[in-house]
Amino acid sequence: MDSGKSREAILSKLKKSLEEGRGYPVPPHDINTPVFPVPKNLLSTFSEELTAIGGHVISHDNHKELVAHIEQICEDYGTNQVYCLDTAIQRQLATAAFDVKSGGEDFKAMQVGVTSCEFLIARTGTVVVSSAHASGRKMNVFPPMHIVLAKASQLVAFAEDALELLEKRYSDDFPSLISFITGASRTADIEKTLVMGAHGPKELFVFIDKNE
């Protein structure tokens, strides 16, 4: 997948179709200049964008802070359990004051699901996840509350940056599913009434380790 060449091909076809039947050429289009300015601070831009649409961003400096924040969220949410399939994250949460579940018998009862991610897109406040991780497909859509653990090094400016890095990372073994999550799941299709959690989690928390 070469997003740059694909975009050029599409724009070239559009230009050709616009010129048909006209007595003048279509002005050249600059495809190399970003429509939006590059964020000066990826972390602050991501936080502002996701918070603006109802998501939650918590940056932390160490493991102790991370665990304390999740413990508080669980307490506020009225649960003493989280569900996680990622063994690395399970080790991170081993000292927490809540139970970390991963068995199939606990899946349907989960209230809080914890996963990792591929990248964070600053300009839109978007979390990029894939089926290549231990959490697979279901952990990003099933739990009422989705907690994402990320690193500052996973922040990128635009969606195309994430796609290019995914291509480099996976090459010919590309994941069967790439999802772009921007805020909690919501819809207003029925009588223009906003409903949260229609197709996925009602709440989205993104924890970002500022030192990694």
Side-chain angles (χ1 to χ4, degrees), residues 14-99:
L14 289 172
K15 180 181 177 183
K16 183 178 179 181
S17 65
L18 288 171
E19 288 178 342
E20 292 179 355
R22 294 171 182 252
Y24 57 90
V26 176
H29 177 70
D30 182 5
I31 65 172
N32 297 314
T33 302
V35 176
F36 299 100
V38 177
K40 294 181 179 179
N41 186 304
L42 296 180
L43 177 55
S44 63
T45 300
F46 177 84
S47 299
E48 290 168 5
E49 293 295 332
L50 183 53
T51 301
I53 54 174
H56 309 276
V57 180
I58 301 173
S59 55
H60 60 91
D61 288 302
N62 54 60
H63 172 263
K64 185 177 180 180
E65 284 186 16
L66 168 67
V67 172
H69 281 303
I70 299 180
E71 287 175 341
Q72 186 61 56
I73 290 172
C74 289
E75 182 179 337
D76 294 342
Y77 205 67
T79 182
N80 65 344
Q81 297 180 353
V82 302
Y83 193 91
C84 178
L85 295 173
D86 190 312
T87 54
I89 295 177
Q90 290 171 7
R91 288 193 293 270
Q92 280 185 281
L93 303 180
T95 60
F98 48 75
D99 293 330

